[in-house]
Amino acid sequence: MSTPTFDYLDRLEAEAIHILREVAGQFERPALLFSGGKDSIVLTRLAEKAFRPGRFPFPLVHVDTGHNFPEVLTYRDALAEQLGEKLIVRSVEETIKRQRLREPGGKYPSRNPLQTYTLLETIEEFEFDACIGGARRDEEKARAKERIFSVRDEFGQWDPKRQRPELWNIYNGRIQKGENVRVFPISNWTELDVWRYIQRENIALPDIYFGHERTCVVLPSGQLLGLTEHIRLDQDDEIVTRQVRFRTVGDSTCTAAVESDAATVEDIIEDLLLAKVSERGATRLDDNISEAGMEDRKRNGYF
Amino acid sequence: MDLLRFITCGSVDDGKSTLIGRLLYDSESVSLDVLAALEKRQASNGVVDLALLTDGLRAEREQGITIDVAYKYFTTPRRKFIITDAPGHVQYTRNMVTGASNADMAIVLVDARQGVIEQTRRHTLIAALLGIQHFVLAVNKMDLVQYDETIFNQISADYAALTDHFQLPKATAIPLSALNGDNVVTRSRQLPWYAGPSLLEHLESVPGAVEVAAAPRFQVQYVIRPQTPELPDYRGYAGQVLSGQYRRGDKVRILPSEQESTIEAIEVSQQKVETATAPQAVVIRLRDDVDVSRGDTIVPLHDEPTLTRELEATLCWMSEQPLWPGRKLLLQHHSALVKAAVPAILHKVNVHTFARAATDSAQLNDIVRVRLKTAVPLAVDNYHQNRTTGSFILVDELSGDTVAAGLIGEANANYFTAPTSPPVAFSI
């Protein structure tokens, strides 16, 4: 009997497909949260492997903050079309109007915290009992503590002290009415794993991941923020044009670019192997507000 | 490049978090911004506390302890590692069992000043109970005993006596200092008398997971039926090869219905393949139009598991509400979810000695031996022959909480049935 050896990407892939199929088997109304970023793009590829030649047993759901990069929205629509799967878009703009929320103030008004409101509204509207997301444990130290099946209460809250033990590869998705489960099939992947998988599977990505010329505002930290209509410019702000790419795709108002002329996935992997700064450290403005920023937002229902 | 999952265990203050921090730091797996955040917190005495790399929750940093299992990742040119950092003291057995259930290897930490203590013994026994085959005895804090060779030799000998007594796998003993980085990633000049590998060198050479040796087992997670004009009759059973290997043309039996069929096709990512091997996620199609649904097991005719409604199992009880004989629960055997009852608790296991004691209930963190009855037959193996098909969880029907981890069959047949001396009852 031949015994093939599997490398770590094969193992991570098999684990993620197993998790996706458990969601399909255990829940009545799951959803796949799709932002158009690399992690959720990888999830759609894994879902194809898990469920083709059938349809996905869940729709793709995008919570649009209104501050997204246009290239990403174009990519989102094209991918949904190509997959032939249902795409549900709900907008933070609408939530702000309906719930009379206050728009974020400040110079770089991030709508990241407001996403939670729209997400919870969407979960209620469609009665989703499970939401699949592309979060990874290597992103942040509070995430390193989170289970693959993460039970949230009716307010979407995560309680790190009351997590269910997760044993072997058995995933317990039993919940009570009103609760929902956030499921993270690529929990055990790192940023580099995601890129190596994209390379191996030859997955197309939005252009903003590759080096391109962009007009940017230079932040006091030295980070570069792509110039958009949502940023409130002052007279002494320094505006530059640089060759940049994005390591992560979040809100345009809180996701910094890195200088790079990487033109291919191979170049990006090369870049990453040399990078001394983590993905979030390099690009996210809102995690650095406090030591427990992510933990606190997750407790409130954020992903 | 392959993957190794390991757990670290040891008593509070043995330096588990520091050791993990050191592994990450010295293998250059910590980013500058993460280090900067650490340094900011340690400005007063100027020493970076590597333990803070793993203690990710607010309460953990406030109390300086590890509350919950955390997962950390690092990669060397030879291997990718997943570290399971299980807390040493809070709700110990439950967390240890959780962490050990997915690990290929255990690093047991010992403080060189204290040597082998109760906690060392308990963690080793629980890790062995969960089927871990590879052990490292990390004798930490060698800097605090002047890197003394005789102290290391004494601790290694004490630990070898423990593993011999319980017939556990032999451990590789490594003297180190997590705080100073001696023998963690690079070999230390402070320990010229030690000829063995550094911890990382050892981690890179330990054999990884092997699922292929066990009997072929496949469980259906989801039935794919496109029902489109192009594929009106397609019916594929999606699931993971839990162990062993399947081949197109294999004669199989479907359990629990006991129908027979033949594997018509195996598909991986929509490509037809000749064989499927654990841990691949595949779609299996059968030649006959048989009734197969989620939770069913497909096995080769010549190598079948036990099909039964009555089980004997070892439970690690994980709930604050105790278990009483007669209690009804849900049993989740991977994708199969069935009603179950616990008619009898046979005995409780002392986690320090593995001696049996009579009991009429199981409390939080107890390890007990029970009899179980299920509403429908389950296709199971002995845990020590197959960690995947030999394991299950118990779920409280009302709250949905996971209340127990279960190991099926004559647990520990390999290790505990024939203790050398003195004779102790170890068949838990």
Side-chain angles (χ1 to χ4, degrees):
Chain A
M1 190 195 289
S2 64
T3 50
T5 49
F6 295 110
D7 78 6
Y8 75 102
L9 274 183
D10 296 322
R11 287 180 180 276
L12 292 176
E13 180 193 66
E15 179 183 76
I17 294 171
H18 174 80
I19 292 162
L20 285 171
R21 287 172 172 169
E22 280 306 290
V23 174
Q26 291 193 30
F27 295 94
E28 281 174 28
R29 276 178 295 280
L32 189 151
L33 297 188
F34 181 75
S35 67
K38 64 182 185 307
D39 301 309
S40 56
I41 292 169
V42 163
L43 284 183
T44 61
R45 174 58 56 93
L46 292 164
E48 286 183 83
K49 292 191 177 224
F51 303 113
R52 293 290 185 241
R55 296 276 311 266
F56 291 2
F58 36 69
L60 310 179
V61 173
H62 184 220
V63 174
D64 185 347
T65 59
H67 287 181
N68 282 294
F69 293 100
E71 299 94 317
V72 176
L73 299 184
T74 309
Y75 178 96
R76 172 196 77 185
D77 295 339
L79 183 68
E81 170 89 34
Q82 183 210 319
L83 289 170
E85 298 292 343
K86 187 175 172 189
L87 172 71
I88 295 171
V89 179
R90 285 294 176 269
S91 100
V92 170
E93 193 82 45
E94 292 294 315
T95 313
I96 291 173
K97 284 187 196 142
R98 200 165 34 245
Q99 297 196 23
R100 296 183 195 165
L101 300 173
R102 208 157 53 145
E103 273 277 12
K107 200 163 154 45
Y108 313 108
S110 164
R111 279 180 167 176
N112 234 345
L114 295 181
Q115 260 183 303
T116 303
Y117 292 87
T118 312
L119 174 62
L120 296 181
E121 269 191 356
T122 312
I123 289 173
E124 255 181 55
E125 180 187 348
F126 293 94
E127 295 182 54
F128 291 133
D129 46 6
C131 295
I132 303 161
R136 310 185 316 264
R137 285 172 176 153
D138 81 318
E139 286 178 81
E140 209 277 336
K141 54 187 180 295
R143 282 215 162 127
K145 294 273 172 182
E146 193 165 12
R147 302 287 184 260
I148 289 172
F149 270 41
S150 180
V151 179
R152 305 295 182 92
D153 68 12
E154 57 181 318
F155 301 101
Q157 297 180 108
W158 179 58
D159 183 351
K161 286 189 178 173
R162 291 195 52 85
Q163 299 197 86
R164 288 176 183 168
E166 206 153 70
L167 297 139
W168 298 285
N169 58 349
I170 307 178
Y171 300 100
N172 172 8
R174 295 278 300 185
I175 47 170
Q176 292 165 310
K177 186 115 184 102
E179 292 178 332
N180 67 88
V181 179
R182 307 287 171 87
V183 181
F184 306 111
I186 59 168
S187 280
N188 286 326
W189 299 39
T190 62
E191 183 187 14
L192 193 58
D193 298 336
V194 167
W195 281 107
R196 288 201 162 127
Y197 191 73
I198 287 167
Q199 179 185 38
R200 191 176 91 168
E201 294 286 314
N202 201 12
I203 299 172
L205 292 178
D207 299 337
I208 67 167
Y209 279 112
F210 302 98
H212 58 282
E213 224 170 57
R214 189 175 281 262
T215 310
C216 300
V217 191
V218 183
L219 301 176
S221 61
Q223 287 172 303
L224 297 168
L225 201 57
L227 184 61
T228 68
E229 54 186 342
H230 308 296
I231 296 170
R232 290 157 202 160
L233 283 179
D234 291 325
Q235 279 200 326
D236 47 359
D237 272 324
E238 190 188 347
I239 310 292
V240 294
T241 301
R242 293 281 164 78
Q243 187 75 10
V244 296
R245 68 177 181 85
F246 289 84
R247 268 173 91 173
T248 168
V249 172
D251 244 6
S252 58
T253 47
C254 66
T255 310
V258 291
E259 285 197 68
S260 166
D261 46 21
T264 63
V265 174
E266 288 71 31
D267 295 343
I268 291 172
I269 290 172
E270 197 85 342
D271 258 14
L272 272 183
L273 290 171
L274 297 170
K276 291 282 180 207
V277 179
S278 76
E279 181 176 351
R280 287 197 167 257
T283 63
R284 289 293 168 97
L285 272 54
D286 49 346
D287 287 340
N288 301 329
I289 293 166
S290 86
E291 170 99 32
M294 173 64 87
E295 181 180 343
D296 293 343
R297 276 189 287 142
K298 286 172 88 70
R299 280 173 180 273
N300 287 328
Y302 187 75
F303 239 87
Chain B
M1 190 158 60
D2 72 346
L3 179 66
L4 186 82
R5 296 176 191 245
F6 65 89
I7 180 175
T8 51
C9 33
S11 187
V12 190
D13 294 330
D14 277 351
K16 286 197 307 291
S17 298
T18 307
L19 179 67
I20 294 169
R22 178 58 71 184
L23 269 173
L24 297 172
Y25 184 77
D26 283 4
S27 61
E28 295 180 17
S29 312
V30 185
S31 308
L32 290 181
D33 54 308
V34 175
L35 270 185
L38 282 189
E39 279 159 5
K40 209 157 68 186
R41 284 180 56 85
Q42 290 295 314
S44 54
N45 62 10
V47 181
V48 175
D49 182 355
L50 293 173
L52 294 173
L53 284 173
T54 58
D55 290 341
L57 298 174
R58 189 190 283 278
E60 291 177 322
R61 289 188 295 275
E62 281 164 5
Q63 296 168 41
I65 55 161
T66 310
I67 290 171
D68 202 347
V69 180
Y71 299 89
K72 288 281 162 187
Y73 307 86
F74 74 105
T75 308
T76 67
R78 297 187 51 189
R79 210 165 219 181
K80 179 183 166 81
F81 296 95
I82 300 180
I83 313 175
T84 306
D85 180 21
H89 59 349
V90 187
Q91 299 180 330
Y92 43 84
T93 308
R94 165 187 151 138
N95 283 319
M96 262 294 294
V97 168
T98 300
S101 72
N102 282 318
D104 307 310
M105 192 186 114
I107 299 177
V108 181
L109 261 88
V110 166
D111 183 330
R113 295 169 303 175
Q114 309 222 10
V116 174
I117 56 171
E118 282 295 300
Q119 197 82 320
T120 321
R121 183 184 174 100
R122 186 173 66 207
H123 284 159
T124 304
L125 287 173
I126 293 170
L129 170 70
L130 269 286
I132 290 179
Q133 297 289 330
H134 303 287
F135 285 82
V136 171
L137 176 72
V139 181
N140 189 22
K141 306 198 183 182
M142 286 300 293
D143 53 315
L144 299 181
V145 294
Q146 289 74 51
Y147 299 99
D148 187 336
E149 184 181 4
T150 49
I151 290 178
F152 171 73
N153 288 340
Q154 184 58 53
I155 294 172
S156 308
D158 289 349
Y159 193 73
L162 168 76
T163 52
D164 285 352
H165 177 76
F166 288 99
Q167 300 196 348
L168 309 177
K170 292 222 178 304
T172 303
I174 301 174
L176 52 88
S177 162
L179 191 67
N180 296 339
D182 297 304
N183 270 355
V184 178
V185 168
T186 47
R187 292 190 209 187
S188 170
R189 269 175 290 171
Q190 306 284 354
L191 297 148
W193 44 265
Y194 171 75
S198 72
L199 178 62
L200 183 63
E201 286 168 343
H202 182 67
L203 289 174
E204 287 184 321
S205 65
V206 173
V210 269
E211 303 92 342
V212 185
R217 299 289 182 255
F218 174 90
Q219 204 185 28
V220 178
Q221 294 183 270
Y222 186 76
V223 182
I224 296 177
R225 288 175 59 216
Q227 294 178 294
T228 54
E230 304 82 54
L231 296 166
D233 302 319
Y234 182 100
R235 204 179 162 85
Y237 303 108
Q240 190 170 23
V241 181
L242 300 173
S243 56
Q245 191 172 62
Y246 285 79
R247 198 171 279 280
R248 187 173 64 86
D250 279 353
K251 294 215 176 308
V252 292
R253 195 186 305 282
I254 297 117
L255 299 174
S257 70
E258 301 190 72
Q259 305 164 92
E260 282 180 32
S261 188
T262 304
I263 296 181
E264 172 82 28
I266 303 175
E267 293 166 16
V268 175
S269 310
Q270 290 190 265
Q271 302 293 313
K272 286 193 176 165
V273 294
E274 284 300 304
T275 60
T277 309
Q280 275 184 306
V282 302
V283 176
I284 285 182
R285 298 172 64 195
L286 299 177
R287 189 160 296 165
D288 308 282
D289 196 12
V290 284
D291 177 25
V292 183
S293 46
R294 176 175 159 84
D296 287 356
T297 306
I298 299 176
V299 297
L301 285 183
H302 59 90
D303 206 350
E304 299 183 28
T306 309
L307 187 67
T308 178
R309 284 187 53 209
E310 293 190 8
L311 297 173
E312 208 174 296
T314 301
L315 297 183
C316 174
W317 192 251
M318 300 183 156
S319 167
E320 271 146 27
Q321 288 184 342
L323 170 70
W324 305 99
R327 189 161 165 194
K328 290 198 171 59
L329 295 143
L330 291 172
L331 185 155
Q332 190 178 344
H333 181 240
H334 300 271
S335 303
L337 187 70
V338 301
K339 283 186 188 282
V342 184
I345 302 176
L346 303 173
H347 58 258
K348 182 175 152 174
V349 177
N350 181 321
V351 285
H352 302 263
T353 59
F354 270 35
R356 300 170 177 186
T359 184
D360 56 4
S361 72
Q363 312 287 332
L364 179 66
N365 288 315
D366 278 353
I367 290 182
V368 292
R369 188 83 179 148
V370 300
R371 261 206 298 274
L372 279 151
K373 269 177 97 157
T374 58
V376 275
L378 288 177
V380 298
D381 289 291
N382 184 314
Y383 185 77
H384 277 269
Q385 263 126 40
N386 195 320
R387 271 173 99 177
T388 311
T389 46
S391 55
F392 64 87
I393 60 171
L394 293 178
V395 175
D396 182 296
E397 198 163 4
L398 286 178
S399 69
D401 287 339
T402 301
V403 294
L407 285 63
I408 295 164
E410 290 300 311
N412 299 318
N414 295 343
Y415 308 144
F416 300 110
T417 43
T420 43
S421 66
V424 201
F426 288 124
S427 169
I428 69 165

